[in-house]
Amino acid sequence: MKQILLLNGPNLNLLGQRQPEIYGHATLADVERDAVALGNELGVAVTCKQSNHEGVLVDWIQEARSTAAGIVINPAAYSHTSVAILDALNMFDGPVIEVHISDIHQREAFRHHSFVTHRADETIIGEGVAGYARALRLLVARL
Ligand code: DHK
């Protein structure tokens, strides 16, 4: 069975408590449970990881080069700052789908640019946590 890595970046561990008017009421555990269940339906094994630390995310992306067929990533604030995460994704051969829960283009100007978009095969913006399910479907369609 193909392995998919679902990666979430900083502060997404507090989904549900964190500015629910922007990020909604679902928790990260809800998102991860639904992603694993959808993966089962689609015939892929989804492994979910979250870190508040840039280097840890880089390590996991590097690891995924030999363990995962594709990556769904919400880099959170690192979207807007991290060339390191972009570089790591550029060494990953499989499809990469980027997710932003909120509509980053309707928010502060510093959120409008994402480094990860330069590598992502598709970017899903502003669909709430439902964006993860769409990302997973798009990813599987590319495998
Ligand atoms: C999540 C974050 O934590 C922010 O830093 C980004 C993104 C937007 C999201 O919409 O999922 O700016």
Coordinates of all heavy atoms in Angstrom, one line a residue, residues 8-12 15 18-19 22-23 74-80 99-104 107-108 110-113 124-126 128 132, ligand 1:
N8 N 1.8 18.8 9.3 CA 1.3 20.1 9.7 C 2.3 20.9 10.5 O 3.0 20.3 11.3 CB 0.0 19.9 10.6 CG -1.2 19.7 9.7 OD1 -1.7 20.7 9.1 ND2 -1.7 18.5 9.7
G9 N 2.4 22.2 10.2 CA 3.4 23.0 10.8 C 3.0 23.7 12.1 O 2.0 23.3 12.7
P10 N 3.7 24.8 12.5 CA 3.5 25.4 13.8 C 2.2 25.9 14.1 O 1.5 26.4 13.3 CB 4.5 26.5 13.8 CG 4.9 26.8 12.4 CD 4.7 25.4 11.7
N11 N 1.8 25.7 15.4 CA 0.5 26.1 16.0 C -0.7 25.4 15.5 O -1.8 25.6 16.1 CB 0.3 27.6 15.7 CG 1.5 28.5 16.3 OD1 1.8 28.3 17.5 ND2 2.1 29.3 15.6
L12 N -0.5 24.5 14.6 CA -1.7 23.7 14.1 C -2.0 22.6 15.1 O -3.1 22.0 15.1 CB -1.5 23.1 12.7 CG -1.4 24.3 11.7 CD1 -1.0 23.7 10.3 CD2 -2.8 24.9 11.5
L15 N -5.2 23.6 16.8 CA -6.5 23.7 16.0 C -7.7 23.4 16.9 O -7.6 22.5 17.7 CB -6.5 22.7 14.8 CG -6.0 23.1 13.5 CD1 -6.2 22.0 12.5 CD2 -6.6 24.4 13.0
R18 N -7.5 27.5 18.6 CA -6.7 28.6 18.0 C -7.6 29.5 17.1 O -8.0 29.0 16.1 CB -5.6 28.0 17.2 CG -4.8 29.0 16.5 CD -3.9 28.4 15.5 NE -3.0 29.4 14.9 CZ -2.4 29.2 13.8 NH1 -2.5 28.1 13.1 NH2 -1.7 30.2 13.3
Q19 N -7.9 30.7 17.4 CA -8.6 31.6 16.6 C -9.7 30.9 15.8 O -9.6 30.8 14.5 CB -7.7 32.4 15.6 CG -6.8 33.3 16.4 CD -5.8 34.0 15.4 OE1 -4.8 33.4 15.0 NE2 -6.1 35.3 15.1
I22 N -11.1 32.0 12.5 CA -10.3 31.8 11.3 C -10.1 30.4 10.9 O -10.2 30.0 9.7 CB -8.9 32.5 11.5 CG1 -9.1 34.0 11.7 CG2 -8.0 32.3 10.3 CD1 -7.8 34.8 12.0
Y23 N -9.7 29.6 11.9 CA -9.3 28.2 11.6 C -10.4 27.1 11.9 O -10.2 25.9 11.6 CB -8.0 27.9 12.4 CG -6.9 28.8 12.0 CD1 -6.5 29.8 12.8 CD2 -6.2 28.6 10.8 CE1 -5.4 30.7 12.5 CE2 -5.1 29.4 10.4 CZ -4.8 30.4 11.3 OH -3.7 31.3 10.9
N74 N 0.6 21.4 5.3 CA 0.2 22.7 5.7 C 1.4 23.3 6.5 O 1.6 22.9 7.6 CB -1.1 22.8 6.5 CG -1.4 24.2 6.8 OD1 -0.6 25.1 6.7 ND2 -2.7 24.4 7.3
P75 N 2.3 24.0 5.8 CA 3.5 24.5 6.5 C 3.2 25.6 7.5 O 4.1 26.1 8.2 CB 4.4 25.1 5.4 CG 3.6 24.8 4.1 CD 2.2 24.5 4.4
A76 N 1.9 26.1 7.6 CA 1.5 27.1 8.5 C 2.4 28.4 8.3 O 2.7 28.7 7.2 CB 1.4 26.6 9.9
A77 N 2.8 29.0 9.4 CA 3.6 30.2 9.3 C 4.9 30.0 8.5 O 5.4 31.0 7.8 CB 3.9 30.8 10.6
Y78 N 5.4 28.8 8.5 CA 6.7 28.6 7.7 C 6.4 28.7 6.2 O 7.4 28.8 5.4 CB 7.3 27.2 8.0 CG 7.9 27.2 9.4 CD1 7.7 26.1 10.2 CD2 8.7 28.2 9.9 CE1 8.2 26.0 11.5 CE2 9.2 28.2 11.2 CZ 9.0 27.1 12.0 OH 9.5 27.0 13.2
S79 N 5.2 28.7 5.7 CA 4.9 28.9 4.3 C 5.5 30.2 3.8 O 6.0 30.3 2.7 CB 3.4 29.0 4.1 OG 2.6 28.1 4.8
H80 N 5.4 31.2 4.7 CA 5.8 32.5 4.3 C 7.3 32.9 4.6 O 7.7 34.0 4.2 CB 4.9 33.5 5.1 CG 3.5 33.1 5.2 ND1 2.7 32.9 4.1 CD2 2.7 32.8 6.3 CE1 1.5 32.5 4.5 NE2 1.5 32.4 5.8
V99 N -1.7 22.9 1.6 CA -3.0 23.3 2.1 C -2.9 24.5 3.0 O -2.0 24.5 3.9 CB -3.6 22.1 3.0 CG1 -5.0 22.5 3.6 CG2 -3.8 20.9 2.1
H100 N -3.8 25.4 2.9 CA -4.0 26.5 3.9 C -5.4 26.5 4.2 O -6.3 26.6 3.4 CB -3.6 27.9 3.3 CG -2.2 27.9 2.8 ND1 -1.1 28.0 3.7 CD2 -1.6 27.8 1.6 CE1 0.0 28.0 3.0 NE2 -0.3 27.8 1.7
I101 N -5.7 26.4 5.5 CA -7.1 26.4 6.0 C -7.8 27.7 5.7 O -8.9 27.7 5.2 CB -7.1 26.1 7.5 CG1 -6.5 24.7 7.8 CG2 -8.5 26.2 8.1 CD1 -6.2 24.5 9.3
S102 N -7.1 28.8 6.0 CA -7.7 30.1 5.8 C -7.4 30.6 4.3 O -6.5 30.0 3.7 CB -7.2 31.1 6.8 OG -5.8 31.2 6.6
D103 N -8.0 31.6 4.0 CA -7.7 32.3 2.7 C -6.6 33.3 2.9 O -6.8 34.4 3.2 CB -9.0 32.9 2.1 CG -8.7 33.4 0.7 OD1 -7.5 33.5 0.3 OD2 -9.6 33.8 0.0
I104 N -5.4 32.8 2.7 CA -4.2 33.7 3.0 C -4.2 34.9 2.1 O -3.6 35.9 2.5 CB -2.9 32.9 2.8 CG1 -2.7 32.2 1.5 CG2 -2.7 31.8 3.9 CD1 -1.4 31.5 1.2
R107 N -5.9 37.9 3.8 CA -5.4 38.3 5.2 C -4.3 39.3 5.0 O -4.1 39.9 4.0 CB -5.0 37.0 5.9 CG -6.3 36.0 6.1 CD -5.9 34.8 6.9 NE -5.5 35.1 8.3 CZ -4.9 34.3 9.1 NH1 -4.7 33.0 8.7 NH2 -4.5 34.6 10.3
E108 N -3.4 39.4 6.1 CA -2.4 40.4 6.0 C -1.4 40.1 4.8 O -1.2 39.0 4.4 CB -1.5 40.3 7.3 CG -2.3 40.4 8.6 CD -2.7 39.1 9.2 OE1 -3.1 38.2 8.5 OE2 -2.6 39.0 10.4
F110 N 1.7 40.0 4.6 CA 2.8 39.0 4.8 C 2.4 37.6 4.6 O 3.3 36.7 4.5 CB 3.5 39.3 6.1 CG 2.6 39.0 7.3 CD1 2.4 37.8 7.8 CD2 2.0 40.1 8.0 CE1 1.7 37.6 9.0 CE2 1.3 39.9 9.1 CZ 1.1 38.6 9.6
R111 N 1.1 37.3 4.5 CA 0.7 35.9 4.3 C 0.4 35.6 2.9 O 0.1 34.5 2.5 CB -0.6 35.6 5.1 CG -0.4 35.7 6.6 CD -1.7 35.3 7.4 NE -1.7 35.8 8.7 CZ -1.2 35.2 9.8 NH1 -0.6 34.0 9.7 NH2 -1.2 35.8 11.0
H112 N 0.5 36.6 2.0 CA 0.1 36.4 0.6 C 1.1 35.5 -0.2 O 0.7 34.8 -1.1 CB -0.1 37.7 -0.1 CG -1.2 38.5 0.4 ND1 -1.6 39.7 -0.1 CD2 -2.1 38.3 1.5 CE1 -2.6 40.2 0.6 NE2 -2.9 39.4 1.5
H113 N 2.3 35.5 0.2 CA 3.3 34.7 -0.5 C 3.7 33.4 0.3 O 3.9 33.5 1.5 CB 4.6 35.5 -0.8 CG 5.7 34.7 -1.4 ND1 6.7 34.1 -0.7 CD2 5.9 34.2 -2.7 CE1 7.5 33.4 -1.5 NE2 7.0 33.5 -2.7
I124 N -4.2 24.4 -2.1 CA -5.6 24.5 -1.7 C -5.7 25.6 -0.6 O -5.0 25.5 0.4 CB -6.2 23.2 -1.2 CG1 -6.2 22.2 -2.4 CG2 -7.6 23.4 -0.6 CD1 -6.5 20.8 -2.0
I125 N -6.5 26.6 -0.9 CA -6.5 27.8 0.0 C -8.0 28.1 0.4 O -8.9 28.1 -0.4 CB -5.9 29.0 -0.7 CG1 -4.5 28.8 -1.0 CG2 -6.2 30.3 0.0 CD1 -3.8 29.9 -1.8
G126 N -8.2 28.3 1.7 CA -9.4 28.9 2.2 C -10.6 27.9 2.2 O -11.8 28.4 2.2
G128 N -11.1 25.8 4.7 CA -11.2 25.2 6.0 C -10.5 23.9 6.1 O -9.7 23.5 5.2
Y132 N -8.1 19.5 3.5 CA -7.2 18.4 3.7 C -7.7 17.2 2.9 O -6.9 16.4 2.3 CB -7.0 18.0 5.1 CG -6.2 19.0 5.9 CD1 -6.8 19.9 6.7 CD2 -4.8 18.9 5.9 CE1 -6.0 20.8 7.5 CE2 -4.0 19.8 6.7 CZ -4.7 20.8 7.5 OH -3.9 21.6 8.2
Ligands
DHK1 C1 -1.9 28.5 9.0 C2 -1.1 29.3 9.8 O1 -0.6 28.9 11.0 C3 -0.7 30.7 9.3 O2 0.5 31.1 9.8 C4 -0.8 30.8 7.8 C5 -2.3 28.9 7.7 C6 -2.1 30.3 7.3 C7 -3.6 28.3 7.3 O3 -4.5 29.0 6.8 O4 -3.8 27.1 7.4 O5 -0.6 32.2 7.5

